[in-house]
Amino acid sequence: MTSPQDMGITPSFTPRLILSLFLCGLVLFVDGYDLAAMPLALPHIAKALDIPPARFGFALSAVLLGLGVGAVLLAPLGDRFGRRRMITLSVICIGLLTMATASGTNIASFIIWRLLTGLALGACLPNVTALAAIWAPPGRRASTLTIVSLGISFGAIVAGLIAPPLIALGGWRALFLLPGAATLLLALALFLLFPPEKKAEPGTDARAVRPLARILRRPLRFPTIVFALLYGINAFGLYLIISWTPTLLPQAGFTLDQAARSITIIQSGGLVIALALAWLIDRNHAVLALAGAYVTIIAAFALLAILSAGTLSTNLLLLVAGGGIVGVHLCIMAVVTGVFPPDCLATAIGFGVAVARIGAIGGPLAGGWLIGNGAGPGPFFLFAILPMALCLLITFALPAARRAGQSGCDHP
């Protein structure tokens, strides 16, 4: 299996390791930007092509579908043929496909380009996370992964900041052409600066030949199920809250501007909570950290459901509940990277990412069904307790999953 020493990196924060992790963060930055670019460009695309925005639903969701498929079917190739090679090739594809999106002239073409972009993202992201986990110094894996993962949030933030000047400069196509070209430059930097992987001797590790089959059979089947369920159900709750909170709060007396700021409050709280949880996880308190977070989230949702709405109190509870879900979501990956053997880590992460895409789609659909049937803030937040309670129960299975994963290191 590949170790930091095999990659030419010592297990401490050397300048070379910092540069490598920074490049991993930039790849995740590209992911965050790309996921935000199409929604930001949509109003301008619809106007330019004289197509109603509502007809672009499949074009918006195509990247999520592609990401899930790519994470399951393509990401495992990194475990077999080298993660550095897979990441660099995927980033080249992301850059080219992002630029190709600017050539879209109808809904079908946007669906095709976004689906292919999602496939490349799905192939890339699990391998980036796996490398960052392997390179992280001992005792700092959770905090390292959490900080690297912040690249996704910063990518989305930057997309929102640069969209107006880019569109003013070159129309909606500039949102894809210039960042796509920058992504190709990133691929060149990865090729030149990423530390080379040590090539395994032929036949030295037969377990890595079919990593997807390996994580779906004993003894890794159980940790795979635990990880996928925890990540997927947490994603369900995350996107349930993010998608519908701005719509619900005006029913509780908030202005539209105050309701819109709720997402900023939730995301900001998530960054702080993620770092706090990572600190505990690095000190071998993963179950305590996640269980405590879920209990706190459940309590905050219960208070949101039963207490009268107030700007300060509601925002504080949203900071705890919504921010807690975001924080846990950023840290789940750090927990499971200590469960799976490194030679199938990208495969396991890809499988979890694919299941999380299902949760990300299901959460908004469930929230829409609730609101469509007349549910107000109280019943909605009570419903949000259900996925968090399920996650709390799954958290207690993590020690058994870790033991199964450790046995998987010794048995093909």
Side-chain angles (χ1 to χ4, degrees):
M1 64 182 65
T2 307
S3 65
Q5 292 86 346
D6 293 334
M7 305 293 290
I9 298 177
T10 57
S12 61
F13 283 117
T14 63
R16 188 176 187 183
L17 175 56
I18 293 173
L19 174 62
S20 299
L21 292 174
F22 177 72
L23 290 172
C24 288
L26 285 181
V27 175
L28 296 181
F29 177 95
V30 169
D31 171 50
Y33 177 91
D34 191 90
L35 292 177
M38 187 66 185
L40 289 168
L42 180 56
H44 305 277
I45 295 174
K47 182 178 179 180
L49 302 182
D50 195 24
I51 300 174
R55 293 181 57 190
F56 283 85
F58 285 114
L60 290 173
S61 60
V63 68
L64 297 177
L65 174 62
L67 199 154
V69 174
V72 172
L73 299 182
L74 299 179
L77 297 177
D79 285 329
R80 293 187 61 183
F81 303 113
R83 300 184 185 103
R84 177 181 181 270
R85 181 182 303 172
M86 192 66 187
I87 292 169
T88 304
L89 179 60
S90 298
V91 171
I92 292 173
C93 292
I94 292 168
L96 293 174
L97 291 167
T98 299
M99 297 177 72
T101 304
S103 68
T105 56
N106 52 53
I107 294 175
S109 61
F110 283 110
I111 292 174
I112 292 171
W113 292 127
R114 297 305 291 161
L115 179 64
L116 293 174
T117 303
L119 286 171
L121 287 169
C124 181
L125 301 185
N127 285 287
V128 172
T129 304
L131 275 188
I134 292 170
W135 291 343
R140 297 185 180 181
R141 174 180 287 158
S143 55
T144 300
L145 271 181
T146 301
I147 292 172
V148 170
S149 297
L150 295 183
I152 297 176
S153 298
F154 286 124
I157 291 171
V158 169
L161 293 176
I162 70 172
L166 279 182
I167 292 172
L169 177 67
W172 65 265
R173 289 181 172 84
L175 273 177
F176 300 100
L177 290 173
L178 295 181
T183 302
L184 293 177
L185 292 178
L186 173 60
L188 177 62
L190 294 174
F191 178 77
L192 295 175
L193 301 176
F194 245 21
E197 293 177 272
K198 180 180 178 180
K199 295 183 179 179
E201 295 297 328
T204 57
D205 194 353
R207 296 173 301 181
V209 174
R210 295 181 178 88
L212 182 58
R214 188 181 172 206
I215 68 169
L216 295 177
R217 68 171 186 251
R218 294 180 180 178
L220 295 181
R221 182 191 302 159
F222 178 67
T224 298
I225 293 172
V226 170
F227 166 43
L229 286 177
L230 183 61
Y231 204 39
I233 296 174
N234 197 87
F236 179 97
L238 172 62
Y239 285 91
L240 171 75
I241 294 302
I242 288 179
S243 298
W244 292 109
T245 296
T247 301
L248 284 169
L249 289 184
Q251 298 181 27
F254 282 64
T255 67
L256 292 177
D257 288 344
Q258 289 173 334
R261 283 195 291 270
S262 66
I263 299 301
T264 302
I265 293 170
I266 290 172
Q267 293 288 358
S268 300
L271 300 182
V272 176
I273 293 171
L275 293 174
L277 292 175
W279 185 86
L280 289 171
I281 294 169
D282 276 338
R283 283 150 184 80
N284 297 317
H285 300 304
V287 175
L288 175 64
L290 296 190
Y294 281 126
V295 169
T296 305
I297 291 166
I298 290 170
F301 276 138
L303 292 174
L304 280 168
I306 64 177
L307 294 181
S308 299
T311 303
L312 180 60
S313 61
T314 300
N315 283 337
L316 180 60
L317 290 172
L318 284 174
L319 179 71
V320 173
I325 300 175
V326 173
V328 170
H329 204 70
L330 289 172
C331 290
I332 289 175
M333 202 72 75
V335 174
V336 300
T337 53
V339 172
F340 293 93
D343 54 14
C344 61
L345 184 54
T347 304
I349 293 172
F351 189 84
V353 167
V355 175
R357 291 305 95 191
I358 298 174
I361 295 170
L365 290 176
W369 181 85
L370 284 170
I371 293 174
N373 283 275
F380 181 90
F381 289 125
L382 282 177
F383 176 81
I385 291 176
L386 178 59
M388 298 300 99
L390 291 174
C391 287
L392 175 61
L393 293 176
I394 296 170
T395 296
F396 294 113
L398 286 175
R402 182 179 293 274
R403 289 192 295 270
Q406 289 172 347
S407 69
C409 293
D410 303 319
H411 298 86

